[in-house]
Amino acid sequence: MIHITLPDGQIKQYAKGTSGMDIAKSISEGLARKVLVAEVNGEVWDLSRPIDNDATFKLLTWDDATGKNTFWHSSAHLMAEAVEAIFPGVKFWVGPALEQGFYYDMDLGDRKITEEDIEKIESKMNELAKQNNAYERQEISKKDAVAYFFDKNDEYKLDLLHNLTDGGITLYKQGNFTDLCRGPHIPTTGHIKAIKITNIAGAYWKGDEKNKQLTRLYGITFPDNKQLTAYLEMIEEAKRRDHRKIGKDMGIFCFDDDVGQGLPLWMPNGTIIIEELEKLAKESEEEAGYKRVVTPHIAKESMYLTSGHLPYYAESMFPPMELDGTKYYLKAMNCPHHHKIFDAEPRSYKDMPLRLAEYGTCYRYEQSGELMGLMRVRCLHMNDAHIYCTKDQFGDEFRAVNDMYLKYFNIFGIDKYVMRLSLHDPAKLGQKYINEPELWQQTETMVRNVLIESGIPFIEVQDEAAFYGPKIDIQIWSAIGREFTLATNQVDFAQGRRFNLSYNSTDNKPEIPLIIHRAPLGTHERFIGFLLEHYAGKFPLWLAPLQVKILPISDKFMDYCKDVQKQLKKKGIRVEIDDRAEKIGKKIRDTEIAHVPYMLVIGEKEMNAQSAALRIQGKGDQGVFEISEIITRMVEEIENRK
C-alpha cells in the first residue's frame, strides 16, 4: 500500500500503482468528470499515470491555472492532429500553451492555410474531440525515438531529441497523432467542447531570422460553449479598446519609419498625459521625502561592467558606440547612474534613507518581433527611484513603496491586482543570479514578511528575480480583464558592494547600504497604453488632454464663449471652442466621440445669465449652471484627481 496526502492534510491508503484518476473517483465521481491533471509531489502528472510510492497529491481542474495550461497544451495536439489530416506530410516544431490559448509551429512545405482551411481545421478538431480519444503516454529510449522520427524524415523532432537523454523522453498519442512531448495531458479529447482558431502568423524556426519561416497557428478552447462566447465578446471589446487604435484616433502618439521601430513620438495630447503623470509622481515623491536627480542618456562601458548589467543584460542593450578608444552604451537603466550620485558625497547613517528619484529615459533593444505599440518599445521613460537604506529601515521603506502603489491603484480605479514575488533559482547561482546564497535567502524572507504583515495579496514565482536580488512585479487587470505587468519593486544586495557604496554607521564604521529599486508608475509608454485600454479613451477630467469643449449654438454667442474660455484658462483648465458651422446636435455627438469629459452648451439664455448648459461624458445633460459654479466644480475635481 502507498500513502497519499491530500491538500487538506488527510492521508489515505491506496494500492501501489493506483492512478490519479482512481484517486479522483474514490473521492467523487463528479470530481473525476471535471479533473484534468494531478500534481504528485509537486510535479504535474497525467491522471492515467500509476503512482508507486507515498506522495503528496492534488487534483487540478479547469479552475486551476495549471489545469487550464494542460487543457490548452492538449488542445494544441488536437489541432496538430486535425492539420495533419488535412495537410498530409506536415511537420511540427513546438506547440505550447499560452496565457490565453495555444499555438503550434508547423512546416507545410509550399502550402498555405487559407480562411477556408481554418474552417476545415476547426470542423476536424470538433470531430476528433467528440471521438473522446485518450491521450496516451509512452516512455521511449532515445535510440528508438530517433529511429521513429528518422523514418518520418522529421528534422524538427530530431533536433529536439539532440539534447535529450534516456530516461526523460516520452511520446504522446491520441487518435492517429503521435508527438514527442514531455506532457502532461488531459485524460481525453472529449473534455474539449468549444474550439476557435484565432490567428495565423509566420515564425522563424527557433526564433532565428536565418532559419526557415514556419506557419504558426493559434487557437483557444474551452470546456463549454458559454465560455467561448464570453471570450470572443471580450476579444471584440479588447479590439475596440486597443491602445494603438485609440492612441491614433486621439492623437496621443505615433511611430515613423524614419525615426525607427519601437521609438514612439508623443504628440501634444500624449505629452499632456505624460506631464500630468509626472506631476502626480513628483507630488507623491516630494511628500514621501524623495530627492530628484537627472542623469545622462549614455555612459561608458566600464560602469555597466561594474554594475554587472553587461554580462547579464547585454542582449537587451543597444550596441556600443566607440569614441577615442572608449565604448559608450545608451542607458538601459538608471540605477548605476544613481549609485554614482550616492557615491559622489560622504554619507552617514543620518542621511539614511536616501531616496533618489528620476523620470529617466532608457533605451532597450527589444527584438523586432516583440515590439507592440506602447507595450514593448525601445525608448522608455521610467518613473524610477532608488532608496538607499539600512537593514533596520528596509521593512518600513519597502512597505512605503507598496503603499504608494495602492494609492495609485485607488486614483486610477484599478480594482484587481496582485503582487508577484519573484524569487531566484538556486541551481542558477553564478549564472543567471549573483552567487550569494545566504543573501538571497535573507532578502527573500525580508520581502515575504513585509507582504504578509501588510496583508497585500501576492503569489510566489521561482526563477523570475532580478540578477541582483528578489523583486515584486505588480500585475494589474484593466476594466475588461486584460492582465498587465505594471511596475516593479526590487531588492538589491549586490550593487552596493559592486560600486563600493558605503555610509558611516552609528559606531563610525563603513556599512554597505541595502538598495530598493522601485517604479510605481512603470514607464509612460506601458502605463499610458494600459490607461488607454482601461478607460477606452475616456480619461478622467484631470488626465484628459482636452478637458472642456465649449459648444456655441450659433456664431452670435462667440464673444461670450471666448470670455468663458478665458476664465477657464486662468484656472489652468484645458479648453477649446467648437466654432464650426454645424448644428448643435452634431457638435455634441462629435465631442462625445472625441471623449472630451465636459461640454458647455451656450445659447442666448445662457449668455444672458452668464451660465452654460453642462453635459458630462457618458452622463448627458446635467442642467444649467453659472460659469463660476462650473469652474469651482471642475477645479475641485481636477485637484483631487477624482
Side-chain angles (χ1 to χ4, degrees):
M1 301 294 286
I2 58 173
H3 296 84
I4 298 297
T5 304
L6 301 177
D8 63 0
Q10 186 179 3
I11 299 175
K12 290 192 171 186
Q13 283 190 335
Y14 293 92
K16 185 177 181 180
T18 295
S19 71
M21 181 58 77
D22 293 332
I23 297 174
K25 288 179 178 178
S26 75
I27 297 172
S28 161
E29 286 290 340
L31 175 61
R33 287 191 292 271
K34 291 171 56 181
V35 69
L36 298 174
V37 70
E39 191 176 280
V40 181
N41 290 330
E43 293 184 16
V44 188
W45 282 25
D46 305 290
L47 287 168
S48 59
R49 192 169 169 184
I51 305 171
D52 294 325
N53 299 296
D54 294 349
T56 58
F57 183 84
K58 183 179 181 181
L59 292 166
L60 304 175
T61 68
W62 170 262
D63 295 328
D64 299 288
T66 302
K68 198 170 292 181
N69 182 280
T70 306
F71 187 96
W72 280 331
H73 178 52
S74 300
S75 299
H77 280 234
L78 181 69
M79 182 174 71
E81 183 181 5
V83 170
E84 191 173 62
I86 297 167
F87 294 91
V90 61
K91 299 175 184 178
F92 297 97
W93 173 230
V94 290
L98 302 171
E99 187 177 312
Q100 292 284 338
F102 53 89
Y103 71 78
Y104 224 122
D105 285 346
M106 56 194 73
D107 184 350
L108 295 161
D110 296 329
R111 297 165 293 183
K112 291 186 177 179
I113 294 177
T114 65
E115 287 296 324
E116 185 179 339
D117 292 327
I118 287 176
E119 292 180 11
K120 291 179 181 177
I121 294 168
E122 286 181 354
S123 177
K124 190 65 177 178
M125 288 179 71
N126 278 296
E127 176 191 327
L128 295 169
K130 289 175 182 175
Q131 292 178 7
N132 200 29
N133 292 318
Y135 287 90
E136 300 172 11
R137 181 178 187 270
Q138 176 190 348
E139 295 182 3
I140 188 171
S141 69
K142 182 171 182 176
K143 178 182 176 182
D144 289 344
V146 168
Y148 177 83
F149 288 105
F150 184 82
D151 288 343
K152 294 171 72 73
N153 193 31
D154 192 333
E155 66 269 31
Y156 301 105
K157 299 305 178 185
L158 290 172
D159 183 85
L160 286 171
L161 281 165
H162 180 71
N163 293 318
L164 300 182
T165 57
D166 279 326
I169 301 174
T170 51
L171 301 181
Y172 274 85
K173 178 182 183 297
Q174 92 274 357
N176 294 317
F177 181 72
T178 300
D179 200 7
L180 177 70
C181 181
R182 287 195 305 266
H185 285 280
I186 61 178
T188 70
T189 60
H191 286 74
I192 303 168
K193 305 290 188 184
I195 296 164
K196 183 69 177 176
I197 303 299
T198 56
N199 194 21
I200 185 169
Y204 291 106
W205 183 35
K206 299 183 180 181
D208 189 337
E209 296 177 2
K210 297 176 182 177
N211 290 337
K212 182 174 182 177
Q213 189 174 65
L214 305 178
T215 298
R216 177 169 291 180
L217 194 60
Y218 291 87
I220 195 163
T221 54
F222 292 92
D224 61 63
N225 279 301
K226 184 178 179 181
Q227 292 187 64
L228 175 59
T229 300
Y231 171 80
L232 294 176
E233 289 174 353
M234 186 272 288
I235 290 297
E236 286 304 310
E237 179 64 18
K239 288 179 181 177
R240 287 191 287 271
R241 289 174 179 252
D242 190 317
H243 77 278
R244 293 166 293 186
K245 180 181 184 301
I246 297 173
K248 181 180 179 181
D249 293 344
M250 293 183 68
I252 303 295
F253 67 96
C254 65
F255 292 94
D256 189 280
D257 287 341
D258 287 338
V259 177
Q261 284 186 301
L263 303 172
L265 298 169
W266 291 99
M267 300 167 77
N269 284 346
T271 303
I272 288 170
I273 298 173
I274 285 174
E275 290 175 346
E276 288 293 341
L277 291 176
E278 284 196 13
K279 182 181 177 184
L280 169 63
K282 288 175 180 177
E283 287 177 6
S284 300
E285 288 164 0
E286 183 177 359
E287 183 180 339
Y290 287 79
K291 297 180 179 180
R292 303 204 67 76
V293 297
V294 177
T295 60
H297 290 226
I298 63 172
K300 293 166 72 172
E301 177 186 47
S302 57
M303 185 173 75
Y304 294 119
L305 288 170
T306 299
S307 70
H309 282 102
L310 274 180
Y312 292 97
Y313 207 77
E315 291 183 0
S316 297
M317 297 176 72
F318 274 85
M321 302 167 279
E322 191 159 331
L323 180 65
D324 297 331
T326 300
K327 289 182 180 178
Y328 288 83
Y329 282 84
L330 282 172
K331 179 172 65 171
M333 63 295 296
N334 299 305
C335 30
H337 298 73
H338 291 189
H339 302 335
K340 290 294 187 182
I341 291 175
F342 179 92
D343 196 40
E345 297 176 352
R347 305 291 179 183
S348 155
Y349 70 92
K350 294 180 180 179
D351 300 316
M352 311 294 275
L354 179 64
R355 310 177 187 96
L356 301 179
E358 176 181 17
Y359 243 115
T361 305
C362 297
Y363 303 86
R364 296 181 182 173
Y365 188 75
E366 301 283 359
Q367 297 297 318
S368 297
E370 296 176 340
L371 298 173
M372 201 281 279
L374 294 177
M375 299 305 179
R376 295 292 291 268
V377 293
R378 289 174 171 169
C379 175
L380 43 144
H381 300 79
M382 189 176 296
N383 170 221
D384 212 355
H386 296 87
I387 302 170
Y388 303 84
C389 63
T390 68
K391 286 184 180 179
D392 291 341
Q393 295 167 338
F394 172 81
D396 289 339
E397 292 300 311
F398 203 82
R399 189 178 298 105
V401 172
N402 288 339
D403 288 345
M404 188 177 286
Y405 286 121
L406 299 178
K407 170 188 172 182
Y408 290 154
F409 294 164
N410 183 54
I411 289 173
F412 294 105
I414 299 169
D415 299 321
K416 185 180 178 183
Y417 61 88
V418 67
M419 296 194 178
R420 185 175 65 196
L421 173 54
S422 298
L423 309 173
H424 78 300
D425 182 349
K428 296 180 181 178
L429 288 173
Q431 303 166 27
K432 186 176 178 180
Y433 303 108
I434 296 292
N435 192 12
E436 297 280 358
E438 290 184 9
L439 283 173
W440 277 107
Q441 185 175 4
Q442 182 182 13
T443 52
E444 287 176 351
T445 299
M446 291 166 69
V447 173
R448 186 182 294 109
N449 288 343
V450 170
L451 291 171
I452 293 171
E453 291 166 7
S454 302
I456 294 174
F458 74 98
I459 58 174
E460 296 190 12
V461 183
Q462 193 179 46
D463 198 23
E464 291 290 336
F467 74 87
Y468 46 66
K471 64 175 180 172
I472 293 175
D473 289 316
I474 287 57
Q475 304 300 116
I476 59 175
W477 282 261
S478 70
I480 59 168
R482 284 191 62 185
E483 184 179 359
F484 294 78
T485 300
L486 169 64
T488 189
N489 189 6
Q490 303 179 358
V491 185
D492 183 346
F493 56 74
Q495 296 287 293
R497 187 177 304 171
R498 281 178 169 269
F499 281 88
N500 293 317
L501 304 183
S502 66
Y503 64 93
N504 282 338
S505 64
T506 52
D507 55 3
N508 206 31
K509 292 181 180 178
E511 291 281 349
I512 300 172
L514 264 179
I515 303 171
I516 298 172
H517 303 240
R518 45 110 287 184
L521 293 178
T523 66
H524 291 329
E525 289 72 20
R526 178 175 286 269
F527 193 53
I528 291 175
F530 164 79
L531 291 177
L532 284 167
E533 299 191 4
H534 185 58
Y535 294 133
K538 299 176 183 178
F539 287 100
L541 182 64
W542 70 274
L543 198 53
L546 179 62
Q547 295 170 317
V548 189
K549 200 77 170 274
I550 300 174
L551 311 179
I553 292 175
S554 79
D555 287 347
K556 292 188 297 182
F557 315 115
M558 193 58 69
D559 288 343
Y560 174 61
C561 289
K562 289 180 179 178
D563 179 62
V564 172
Q565 182 185 38
K566 190 180 295 183
Q567 293 181 58
L568 291 166
K569 282 188 172 182
K570 280 185 178 179
K571 294 295 184 179
I573 296 169
R574 299 183 286 275
V575 55
E576 291 179 0
I577 299 173
D578 187 342
D579 57 4
R580 298 176 300 162
E582 297 284 358
K583 291 183 178 180
I584 192 64
K586 178 169 174 53
K587 290 183 178 182
I588 290 172
R589 284 193 301 275
D590 289 348
T591 307
E592 285 276 359
I593 292 170
H595 305 318
V596 180
Y598 273 47
M599 287 173 263
L600 302 183
V601 180
I602 290 177
E604 186 170 3
K605 185 174 75 170
E606 288 79 21
M607 181 181 70
N608 292 336
Q610 295 292 291
S611 64
L614 173 64
R615 296 183 66 88
I616 296 179
Q617 171 80 225
K619 297 181 179 179
D621 184 17
Q622 302 295 298
V624 177
F625 300 88
E626 291 183 2
I627 296 301
S628 60
E629 189 177 351
I630 292 173
I631 290 174
T632 299
R633 174 176 177 167
M634 291 181 65
V635 168
E636 192 265 342
E637 189 173 336
I638 291 167
E639 287 181 348
N640 290 306
R641 295 188 175 94
K642 290 186 177 178

